[in-house]
Amino acid sequence: MDKNYYVLIVLLFTLLLSGCNSNSAATNTEVKKENSTGSNTEAGGKKLRLGYINATGSTSEGKPALTGAEGWAVEKGFLQEELKKIGITEIEYYSFPNGPNLNEAMASGDIDLGIFGDTPALLARGAGQKTRLIGLANIYQDIWLVTNKKNGISKLEDLKGKTVAASNGSYMFRFVQGLLKEEGLLDEVKFVSLFPPEALASLERGDIQAYAFPTYMGPKHVKLGFPLVLQASKTTPELTGTSVIVATETYLDENPKFLSSWDALRKKSVVDLKEHSEEYFQFAADVSHQDLDVVRESIPLDNFREESFPDEGIKLLEGTKQFLAEQKLIKNDFDLEDWILRE
């Protein structure tokens, strides 16, 4: 068996064990709890524990480093106001470095709702995690495949025999695997797992020849002079990611009014951020600690939709699930409609 192919199989097996084990507990070193809003919880008030991915930003005045419509809802108070109407008077925010870690926290009962990439969410559901998909945070989530400054790599074929990296179990991981499969290079390229903040040093040392960067990090590194091999939205939009909103079945059962309240506050937030686009972009730049032009390029406002399940997003999600099933990464395939919970 080809050595690179064997390494890939081992990595994928490790992914399934680490990212989807419903008995795993979230580690304290990988979970950062932000300050709660509504700290003066009313007697008998309920709590929401919200998890999200944060690789670049930091908290400000007790608010999470969360952008998008959900972050804007926190910033403008929509989230707190709407949830208070149904008795949820305290919200805790938990920061995670990637999707598999968030999955572990959800499986162990440490968080109630997660906003993260489609790939880890699908893998967890396929492994039997008791969750429901309650919406799509954004669609066409972009990926930037950049190379180091020493290679002279200009096209995908140049990566044959080279090393490519992404965060294991992420939507960028799925992009790399899907891209290499389409080009017949899956067995010809070595894959290693690195979190985005680790990639800069590895690229500069030449340890890896290319890295698949997510939102914000992609345009930032192109701006730093790392050559762009390709950008998913411009070459393979079918391989872009979808940011999903997933809640545990237990939490939804205990809070039957939550779904309608969540849909309402999120729709209100999307409408408002588009009406105040310049203010929103500046907010996102401040929260993510990125330059304004990087933020503008990272997520076009059209990626945020008022409807919870836009047809384009469902099509992208179905394509991702199909790929993961074909590669035998999903333990048990399932009907997407059985996972979706509509208001």
Side-chain angles (χ1 to χ4, degrees), residues 39-314:
S39 55
N40 296 321
T41 308
E42 299 174 9
K46 296 181 179 180
K47 179 189 298 185
L48 171 67
R49 299 168 300 172
L50 188 157
Y52 68 100
I53 307 303
N54 174 26
T56 61
S58 64
T59 58
S60 175
E61 299 178 352
K63 296 176 181 177
L66 178 63
T67 58
E70 297 75 25
W72 189 243
V74 175
E75 175 69 12
K76 305 302 287 187
F78 303 151
L79 187 144
Q80 300 91 317
E81 292 168 6
E82 291 297 324
L83 294 186
K84 188 175 181 180
K85 294 176 184 178
I86 59 171
I88 298 173
T89 55
E90 184 176 357
I91 305 167
E92 293 180 354
Y93 303 96
Y94 292 81
S95 172
F96 296 85
N98 68 352
N101 296 116
L102 190 153
N103 272 335
E104 292 175 12
M106 188 170 285
S108 61
D110 293 330
I111 62 172
D112 308 304
L113 180 144
I115 303 170
F116 58 130
D118 52 9
T119 296
L122 288 164
L123 290 172
R125 176 68 179 189
Q129 194 162 313
K130 301 296 184 181
T131 63
R132 298 298 296 272
L133 178 66
I134 66 170
L136 306 182
N138 68 67
I139 62 177
Y140 297 120
Q141 198 164 358
D142 220 341
I143 308 103
W144 291 258
L145 185 67
V146 308
T147 184
N148 65 41
K149 301 173 183 179
K150 307 173 183 178
N151 290 328
I153 289 173
S154 60
K155 57 186 183 300
L156 200 64
E157 293 81 358
D158 296 337
L159 291 173
K160 185 175 182 180
K162 304 292 194 305
T163 302
V164 177
S167 178
N168 215 3
S170 66
Y171 80 97
M172 298 85 73
F173 162 84
R174 183 258 171 171
F175 164 73
V176 169
Q177 299 298 309
L179 189 66
L180 294 176
K181 181 176 181 292
E182 282 189 1
E183 297 296 325
L185 295 171
L186 193 58
D187 300 337
E188 306 292 337
V189 175
K190 180 181 179 181
F191 175 83
V192 297
S193 178
L194 286 174
F195 288 150
E198 302 169 337
L200 176 60
S202 295
L203 282 169
E204 289 182 332
R205 289 194 303 265
D207 296 341
I208 58 175
Q209 281 68 57
Y211 189 85
F213 278 110
T215 299
Y216 304 141
M217 301 290 278
K220 175 182 178 179
H221 284 78
V222 172
K223 191 175 179 181
L224 289 173
F226 290 92
L228 178 67
V229 179
L230 55 84
Q231 185 177 340
S233 64
K234 296 180 179 179
T235 57
T236 52
E238 73 279 5
L239 294 178
T240 54
T242 305
S243 182
V244 299
I245 308 165
V246 173
T248 66
E249 291 182 357
T250 298
Y251 191 79
L252 293 169
D253 290 342
E254 292 175 350
N255 299 275
K257 296 180 180 180
F258 177 80
L259 182 61
S260 59
S261 182
W262 179 268
D263 282 349
L265 72 87
R266 191 180 176 283
K267 181 177 181 179
K268 181 178 181 180
S269 183
V270 171
V271 171
D272 192 80
L273 74 82
K274 290 184 177 180
E275 290 177 349
H276 303 88
S277 58
E278 292 305 312
E279 185 183 349
Y280 169 74
F281 280 128
Q282 188 59 60
F283 156 78
D286 293 342
V287 168
S288 63
H289 287 194
Q290 302 295 336
D291 294 339
L292 194 57
D293 60 337
V294 166
V295 172
R296 289 181 186 279
E297 185 177 349
S298 288
I299 304 184
L301 293 186
D302 190 52
N303 287 16
F304 303 119
R305 304 294 173 87
E306 293 179 35
E307 59 268 40
S308 297
F309 299 102
D311 291 340
E312 294 166 88
I314 294 299

